[in-house]
């Protein structure tokens, strides 16, 4: 996802910015840029693609002597990955970089356009620089203009602004997106996370939401809603590998915690006003389409199954899901009134790619749901929706699954809108629930501690059954896959109603049942399935908003108004359980044995 670096001081600025952005590369980006003001001279460079392209463009540029500088790596959200949309964004005499989303940018843009301001990009960020210059023209004091600008911004942002109107200062503001200030010798750094400034700055201050200000002559002037604010710095970490994990023990843990945040990116520009939009989809994609087939592997297959429930229920369109490696050799019957969807985190999975090629040969329209732009699957598909989860480093997929499921939920609403299969009230209820998803994904310290404590009971036994019904069946499959991948314990996901058709023979006190018991979908049915297991002495860990007397262990969830909010909240519980069991067993959580992140062979 997007990254920010800033520097004010006398050192060569280009290298500081480019090296800093390189440290943020692992988050993923599709364009980058830098801007420097030195001796009243303003210079900027932008390039699409890898940082190498920006390095090549800036080869003959050097910036020695005192100056201010900002840099950015962008992951496209509003507008395509082009040079014009890359940051820093330029006004007449200022530059801005920004992470996050300015929710009211359309309103601000209209206001500015009515005052003859011309916009060059399709981004929300550009409004910040024009707003600033507009205020500055009315009251020529840069900090006053910046304060007025910040007071108009709604949404999440971490932003840096430099301007010829105050060429010795960097202006900053933070709300909802991370930003820190690093202190070296007579120099100040900014960054969206530690790694770019480790080895350069010695002290750091992590900005809090609502803080803004400027730095000049080596001093930082900090403000919040109450006015000027004192702050204390702390020593900066020295271990880069640790800093990439933002203090978490494993990338997987960090990625579980990140889910609340990345979900905003997934929805950005797509869940607007009272409809779902996919700017990237051509209007005619669903013309003459009567059915959907989804093909995927592993975790992505579980997301696909989740999607099939949503597409049939919400969009009223028949939807079948197949494991790509099976689909390839079954000589499937394909009709051109079927839309062929592939789901893949990496976009490189050999079986999924081959399934897609087969469908295309049969004349089907294709759509991919993928986390990696320009990957083989995205290139091969007619159209693509990016999940925007950012790079996932843990081999066991977490945030990729969450964002795939979210895209499928959005797609179900999108298709329902096109087919007029949903009434306005129901659509509003769905959108209202959707907007609450980031909150449902927040990891609560108490919950994590509880799962850590109870995980010690789940290290042995002869197996785990994750059970659920409806949407919670794919979630049970995914919960079991997570556990087996990183704990190496035998785990199965099962539709709860199927237990009595065979697997219940395994039930005894050494069989651990993880029961997903949502309140909003078939609660009584799943309850009686779990009672049957309890009667056979199985050890039950129940996850539900409703207290359940027969549970040996119970994790109470909070969202009980919409199945998908329950789904996402329970998903986090199962991920944390797998994590904690794996840690207790001393396994390598991020690189489990025998597994690879991208499976490019059959
Ligand atoms: C499990 C996991 C795998 C992948 C599968 C497909 O945590 O990550 O099961 O989901 O290998 O990979 P993609 O999604 O890249 O096609």
């Amino acid at each position: 996802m997007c990254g920010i670096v800033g520097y004010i001081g006398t050192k060569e600025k280009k290298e500081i910015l480019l090296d800093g952005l390189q440290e943020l590369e692992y988050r993923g980006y599709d364009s980058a840029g830098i801007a420097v003001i030195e001796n009243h001279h303003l210079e900027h460079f932008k390039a699409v693609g890898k940082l190498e392209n920006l390095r090549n463009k800036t080869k003959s540029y050097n910036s020695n002597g005192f100056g201010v500088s900002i840099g950015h790596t962008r992951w496209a959200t509003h507008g395509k990955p082009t040079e014009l949309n890359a940051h820093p964004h330029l006004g007449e005499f200022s530059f801005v970089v920004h992470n996050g989303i300015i929710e009211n940018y359309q309103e601000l843009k209209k206001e500015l356009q009515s005052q003859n301001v011309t916009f060059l990009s399709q981004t929300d960020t550009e409004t910040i620089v024009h707003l600033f210059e507009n205020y500055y023209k009315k009251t020529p004091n840069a900090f006053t203009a910046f304060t007025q600008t910040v007071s108009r911004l709604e949404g999440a942002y971490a932003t840096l602004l430099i301007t010829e109107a105050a060429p010795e200062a960097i202006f900053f503001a933070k709300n909802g997106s991370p930003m820190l200030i690093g202190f070296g010798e007579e120099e100040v750094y900014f960054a969206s996370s530690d790694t770019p400034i480790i080895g350069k700055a010695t002290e750091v201050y992590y900005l809090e939401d609502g803080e803004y200000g400027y730095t000049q002559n080596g001093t930082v002037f900090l403000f919040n809603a109450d006015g000027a604010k004192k702050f204390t710095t702390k020593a900066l970490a020295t271990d880069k590998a640790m800093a990439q994990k933002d203090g978490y023990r494993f990338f997987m843990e960090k990625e579980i915690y990140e889910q609340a945040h990345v979900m905003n990116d997934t929805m950005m520009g797509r869940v607007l006003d009272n409809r779902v939009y996919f700017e990237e989809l051509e209007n005619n994609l669903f013309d003459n389409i009567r059915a959907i087939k989804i093909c995927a592997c592993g975790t992505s297959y579980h997301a696909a199954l989740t999607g099939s429930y949503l597409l049939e229920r919400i969009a009223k369109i028949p939807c079948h899901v197949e494991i790509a490696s099976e689909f390839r050799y079954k000589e499937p019957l394909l009709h051109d009134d079927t839309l062929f969807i592939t789901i893949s985190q990496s976009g490189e999975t050999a079986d999924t790619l081959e399934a897609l090629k087969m469908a295309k040969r049969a004349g089907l329209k294709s759509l991919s749901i993928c986390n990696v732009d320009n990957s083989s699957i995205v290139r091969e598909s007619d159209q693509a929706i990016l999940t925007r989860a950012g790079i996932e480093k843990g081999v066991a997929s977490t945030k990729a699954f969450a964002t795939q499921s979210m895209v499928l939920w959005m797609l179900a609403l999108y298709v329902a809108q096109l087919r007029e299969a949903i009434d306005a009230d129901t659509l509003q209820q769905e959108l209202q629930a959707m907007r609450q998803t980031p909150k449902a994904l927040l990891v609560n310290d108490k919950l994590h501690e509880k799962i850590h404590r109870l995980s010690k009971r789940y290290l042995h036994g002869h197996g785990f059954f994750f059970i659920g019904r409806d949407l919670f069946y794919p979630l049970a499959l995914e919960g079991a896959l997570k556990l087996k991948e990183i704990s190496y314990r035998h785990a199965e996901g099962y539709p709860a109603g199927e237990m009595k058709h065979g697997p219940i023979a395994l039930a005894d006190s050494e069989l651990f049942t993880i029961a997903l018991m949502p309140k909003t979908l078939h609660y009584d049915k799943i309850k009686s399935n779990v009672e049957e297991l309890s009667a056979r002495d199985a050890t039950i860990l129940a996850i539900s908003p409703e207290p359940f007397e027969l549970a040996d262990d119970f994790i109470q969830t909070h969202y009980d108004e919409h199945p998908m909010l329950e789904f996402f909240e329970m998903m986090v519980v199962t991920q944390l359980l797998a994590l904690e069991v794996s840690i207790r067993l001393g396994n390598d959580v991020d690189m489990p044995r025998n597994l690879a992140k991208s499976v490019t062979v059959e």
Side-chain angles (χ1 to χ4, degrees):
M1 299 266 100
C2 305
I4 289 183
V5 180
Y7 173 74
I8 176 165
T10 53
K11 288 191 183 138
E12 211 291 300
K13 281 155 277 302
K14 175 185 81 179
E15 286 306 323
I16 291 178
L17 297 178
L18 291 177
D19 289 353
L21 294 177
Q22 194 103 43
E23 294 294 344
L24 297 172
E25 251 194 328
Y26 73 98
R27 289 168 181 260
Y29 64 101
D30 42 47
S31 55
I34 60 171
V36 179
I37 303 180
E38 204 178 57
N39 295 328
H40 290 269
H41 181 66
L42 219 149
E43 194 64 82
H44 79 287
F45 303 88
K46 299 184 191 191
V48 172
K50 291 284 152 207
L51 270 175
E52 207 42 46
N53 302 342
L54 187 60
R55 273 196 196 278
N56 288 336
K57 272 199 163 176
T58 53
K59 243 184 199 147
S60 56
Y61 174 71
N62 267 308
S63 73
N64 290 306
F66 176 82
V68 296
S69 59
I70 54 178
H72 190 266
T73 44
R74 170 175 188 256
W75 177 291
T77 49
H78 285 89
K80 296 197 168 8
T82 60
E83 258 183 45
L84 268 187
N85 286 334
H87 302 211
H89 285 285
L90 168 70
E92 288 171 39
F93 49 89
S94 322
F95 280 104
V96 73
V97 291
H98 158 237
N99 286 353
I101 159 88
I102 305 302
E103 277 165 11
N104 59 334
Y105 86 99
Q106 272 165 328
E107 173 196 322
L108 296 173
K109 190 168 175 176
K110 266 191 211 138
E111 180 184 314
L112 289 160
Q113 281 170 328
S114 72
Q115 296 172 50
N116 298 323
V117 173
T118 310
F119 279 76
L120 299 175
S121 77
Q122 298 157 302
T123 66
D124 53 332
T125 301
E126 199 185 338
T127 48
I128 304 176
V129 72
H130 294 310
L131 204 56
F132 167 78
E133 293 191 348
N134 227 31
Y135 281 123
Y136 182 78
K137 284 175 193 163
K138 287 176 196 149
T139 319
N141 175 305
F143 183 56
T144 308
F146 185 71
T147 307
Q148 286 169 323
T149 303
V150 172
S151 72
R152 298 290 309 281
L153 305 180
E154 286 170 22
Y157 50 84
T159 185
L160 296 180
L161 182 142
I162 57 176
T163 174
E164 276 187 298
E168 299 186 338
I170 293 183
F171 298 88
F172 59 88
K174 180 230 185 293
N175 194 45
S177 295
M179 169 92 93
L180 53 87
I181 310 178
F183 298 83
E185 252 178 56
E186 292 181 23
E187 55 187 4
V188 176
Y189 295 83
F190 292 87
S192 48
S193 84
D194 291 0
T195 37
I197 63 166
I198 288 178
K200 297 189 171 90
T202 47
E203 292 282 307
V204 65
Y205 175 70
Y206 295 89
L207 285 164
E208 286 172 18
D209 284 345
E211 291 184 343
Y212 64 97
Y214 64 100
T215 175
Q216 204 168 7
N217 302 329
T219 308
V220 170
F221 300 90
L222 185 71
F223 300 81
N224 64 11
D226 302 326
K229 189 183 163 185
K230 288 208 171 86
F231 63 97
T232 42
T233 60
K234 56 182 184 181
L236 179 64
T238 50
D239 179 347
K240 277 191 183 166
M242 195 58 209
Q244 276 198 350
K245 291 184 194 151
D246 286 348
Y248 294 103
R249 295 164 292 177
F250 296 96
F251 279 108
M252 182 187 173
E253 185 177 32
K254 173 174 172 254
E255 286 156 5
I256 293 172
Y257 275 73
E258 251 171 29
Q259 293 177 119
H261 177 64
V262 297
M263 211 47 110
N264 282 318
D265 294 330
T266 306
M267 288 192 283
M268 204 182 287
R270 293 167 170 170
V271 182
L272 293 177
D273 313 323
N274 50 7
R275 283 180 91 74
V276 172
Y277 295 84
F278 282 112
E279 221 178 43
E280 53 274 73
L281 297 186
E282 282 166 22
N283 291 338
N284 63 0
L285 179 65
F286 284 88
D287 287 0
N288 306 320
I289 292 298
R290 288 183 212 289
I292 290 177
K293 186 178 282 293
I294 316 184
C295 249
C297 302
T299 287
S300 299
Y301 167 74
H302 300 154
L305 279 180
T306 307
S308 73
Y309 284 89
L310 295 168
L311 282 157
E312 293 213 342
R313 182 165 291 144
I314 299 174
K316 313 278 183 247
I317 185 162
C319 179
H320 301 284
V321 179
E322 301 210 33
I323 289 179
S325 55
E326 284 300 307
F327 174 82
R328 285 180 64 176
Y329 297 104
K330 70 183 277 205
E331 298 176 27
L333 297 176
L334 299 171
H335 298 285
D336 60 9
D337 62 357
T338 300
L339 175 70
F340 193 80
I341 301 184
T342 46
I343 305 182
S344 175
Q345 178 277 130
S346 63
E348 302 297 344
T349 302
D351 284 320
T352 312
L353 182 59
E354 198 45 48
L356 169 60
K357 287 181 181 165
M358 279 170 63
K360 284 187 73 184
R361 282 196 293 271
L364 271 64
K365 285 199 218 174
S366 58
L367 166 69
S368 60
I369 295 175
C370 190
N371 199 35
V372 182
D373 199 5
N374 292 317
S375 56
S376 305
I377 289 176
V378 167
R379 279 184 279 122
E380 190 67 35
S381 303
D382 296 332
Q383 298 188 35
I385 300 177
L386 295 179
T387 47
R388 304 177 182 164
I391 285 183
E392 192 177 58
K393 283 208 157 185
V395 165
S397 185
T398 50
K399 61 178 180 168
F401 174 73
T403 52
Q404 287 167 346
S405 305
M406 176 53 110
V407 164
L408 286 156
W409 184 13
M410 293 194 289
L411 188 67
L413 291 175
Y414 178 81
V415 180
Q417 287 166 191
L418 288 179
R419 294 164 64 91
E420 295 178 1
I422 190 164
D423 63 71
D425 285 349
T426 316
L427 179 60
Q428 283 324 303
Q429 284 159 17
E430 292 288 314
L431 293 176
Q432 217 176 339
M434 201 169 255
R435 290 193 186 96
Q436 287 191 57
T437 307
K439 272 201 217 134
L441 287 165
L442 278 175
V443 181
N444 167 306
D445 285 349
K446 265 196 196 152
L447 170 77
H448 196 161
E449 177 53 26
K450 176 163 186 178
I451 294 174
H452 164 70
R453 268 188 291 110
L454 64 79
S455 62
K456 62 176 173 283
R457 293 230 245 158
Y458 294 87
L459 304 179
H460 307 293
H462 61 72
F464 288 78
F465 266 85
F466 284 69
I467 59 169
R469 298 183 77 122
D470 205 294
L471 284 168
F472 294 79
Y473 161 49
L475 186 59
L477 289 172
E478 176 58 11
L481 180 64
K482 282 298 82 88
L483 189 81
K484 75 181 123 193
E485 282 183 292
I486 59 172
S487 75
Y488 320 141
R489 301 286 123 188
H490 180 79
E492 282 190 59
Y494 234 79
E498 272 291 296
M499 290 301 282
K500 62 168 90 59
H501 299 289
I504 203 165
L506 290 168
D508 65 19
S509 60
E510 295 294 294
L511 179 78
F512 299 139
T513 301
I514 315 298
L516 307 178
M517 305 175 70
K519 194 174 161 193
T520 48
L521 270 180
H522 324 303
Y523 180 78
D524 290 336
K525 300 271 176 223
I526 176 99
K527 187 168 169 237
S528 72
N529 298 142
V530 184
E531 280 164 1
E532 286 155 12
L533 280 157
S534 169
R536 277 125 190 121
D537 216 19
T539 299
I540 313 278
L541 165 57
I543 306 170
S544 179
E546 288 288 314
F548 180 60
E549 272 178 14
L550 299 175
D552 298 276
D553 282 311
F554 177 63
I555 293 176
Q556 185 152 30
T557 48
H558 300 93
Y559 286 84
D560 59 2
E561 272 152 28
H562 192 286
M564 283 309 284
L565 293 176
E566 291 202 73
F567 177 96
F568 284 121
E569 196 182 0
M570 289 188 191
M571 177 197 75
V572 172
V573 174
T574 57
Q575 292 168 341
L576 290 173
L577 179 68
L579 176 83
E580 288 301 327
V581 169
S582 171
I583 294 175
R584 279 192 191 273
L585 292 170
N587 298 344
D588 185 340
V589 170
D590 285 333
M591 298 229 255
R593 69 186 186 200
N594 308 337
L595 298 179
K597 188 71 190 153
S598 180
V599 186
T600 52
V601 290
E602 195 178 336

